[in-house]
Amino acid sequence: EDQVTQSPEALRLQEGESSSLNCSYTVSGLRGLFWYRQDPGKGPEFLFTLYSAGEEKEKERLKATLTKKESFLHITAPKPEDSATYLCAVGRDNFNKFYFGSGTKLNVKP
Amino acid sequence: GAVVSQHPSRVICKSGTSVKIECRSLDFQATTMFWYRQFPKQSLMLMATSNEGSKATYEQGVEKDKFLINHASLTLSTLTVTSAHPEDSSFYICSAIVGTSSDTQYFGPGTRLTVL
């Protein structure tokens, strides 16, 4: 069964305290893994796409990595404005199918 | 670029009425759009895939007669919730893919539907 699991469900960090979010997947025919940020009451905002194991992408304090079974979103020296829910999604079948994880709610305290 | 809008952002309606939600790609043409619903503290659940000029493809368990989807142009898809009931209250989000060869979905801001 195709599944995307994110952990932890919630994460509280102090400002400047680096950490990682995990997204593990069991999806056949993976075409790409996506990370999104979602603020309360808003639609997801695109962050990264990763296509193959070993690939890494960075944007400001965020770095996403991909293996054959999971992806990590590393947050370096987070700031309060990084507080949001981070969603990962896996695309298959020519990207006509997207499977979303349940998200990690990140809270960064000043 | 790749901006998707939704209208309305919030709607409150009485049970039994129908509600239409619009999803527009503002600066690109979207051959394919997707409709999701999201319950509180849960992730996005794909409802249907909407292709311009053809019938939408619904996910298993989604009633196509209740959730009518129309994708009449390359920049507009609509979701109509017919005979809405309180259990249809949710956050509805659309997304679109740029052109036909892109893989990234860009999301609208969502529509909060409350059925009384």
Side-chain angles (χ1 to χ4, degrees), chain B residues 80-94:
Chain B
T80 301
V81 183
T82 62
S83 187
H85 291 285
E87 57 265 30
D88 298 323
S89 298
S90 187
F91 192 52
Y92 291 87
I93 310 176
C94 72

Side-chain angles (χ1 to χ4, degrees), chain A residues 31-92:
Chain A
R31 299 296 298 275
L33 186 140
F34 303 80
W35 282 99
Y36 289 86
R37 168 193 170 126
Q38 186 176 25
D39 291 301
K42 296 187 178 180
E45 174 190 345
F46 171 72
L47 293 174
F48 303 108
T49 309
L50 301 167
Y51 296 100
S52 57
E55 190 174 359
E56 298 182 353
K57 288 193 177 174
E58 289 187 64
K59 179 181 179 181
E60 296 180 354
R61 295 177 291 283
L62 301 176
K63 178 181 176 181
T65 61
L66 180 65
T67 71
K68 288 186 177 180
K69 293 184 179 181
E70 59 191 349
S71 176
F72 291 93
L73 183 65
H74 307 278
I75 303 176
T76 302
K79 298 181 178 182
E81 53 262 41
D82 295 322
S83 297
T85 295
Y86 291 85
L87 299 168
C88 79
V90 170
R92 54 168 286 189

Side-chain angles (χ1 to χ4, degrees), chain B residues 7-24:
Chain B
H7 178 79
S9 58
R10 289 178 179 271
V11 57
I12 300 173
C13 69
K14 293 182 178 179
S15 184
T17 61
S18 294
V19 175
K20 180 185 284 188
I21 302 170
E22 292 186 347
C23 176
R24 294 182 184 272

Side-chain angles (χ1 to χ4, degrees), chain B:
Chain B
V3 178
V4 177
S5 72
Q6 278 184 246
H7 178 79
S9 58
R10 289 178 179 271
V11 57
I12 300 173
C13 69
K14 293 182 178 179
S15 184
T17 61
S18 294
V19 175
K20 180 185 284 188
I21 302 170
E22 292 186 347
C23 176
R24 294 182 184 272
S25 56
L26 296 185
D27 51 359
F28 65 98
Q29 293 186 331
T31 305
T32 303
M33 289 183 169
F34 302 85
W35 285 96
Y36 294 83
R37 65 189 296 181
Q38 185 176 32
F39 291 105
K41 298 185 179 180
Q42 294 187 26
S43 192
L44 284 73
M45 296 296 294
L46 179 65
M47 298 175 67
T49 302
S50 168
N51 293 295
E52 186 267 337
S54 63
K55 290 183 178 180
T57 302
Y58 290 81
E59 293 299 298
Q60 192 172 8
V62 177
E63 299 175 60
K64 58 183 66 176
D65 293 331
K66 181 168 188 62
F67 299 99
L68 301 179
I69 291 172
N70 184 284
H71 194 156
S73 77
L74 287 171
T75 59
L76 173 65
S77 175
T78 60
L79 167 67
T80 301
V81 183
T82 62
S83 187
H85 291 285
E87 57 265 30
D88 298 323
S89 298
S90 187
F91 192 52
Y92 291 87
I93 310 176
C94 72
S95 70
I97 289 178
V98 178
T100 57
S101 60
S102 178
D103 53 23
T104 301
Q105 293 187 25
Y106 293 91
F107 287 83
T111 296
R112 171 73 59 193
L113 170 64
T114 303
V115 185
L116 302 176

Side-chain angles (χ1 to χ4, degrees), chain A residues 11-21 61 73-79 82 106 108:
Chain A
L11 181 62
R12 297 177 68 176
L13 299 173
Q14 287 295 129
E15 184 172 2
E17 179 187 1
S18 301
S19 187
S20 296
L21 282 55
R61 295 177 291 283
L73 183 65
H74 307 278
I75 303 176
T76 302
K79 298 181 178 182
D82 295 322
L106 174 66
V108 182

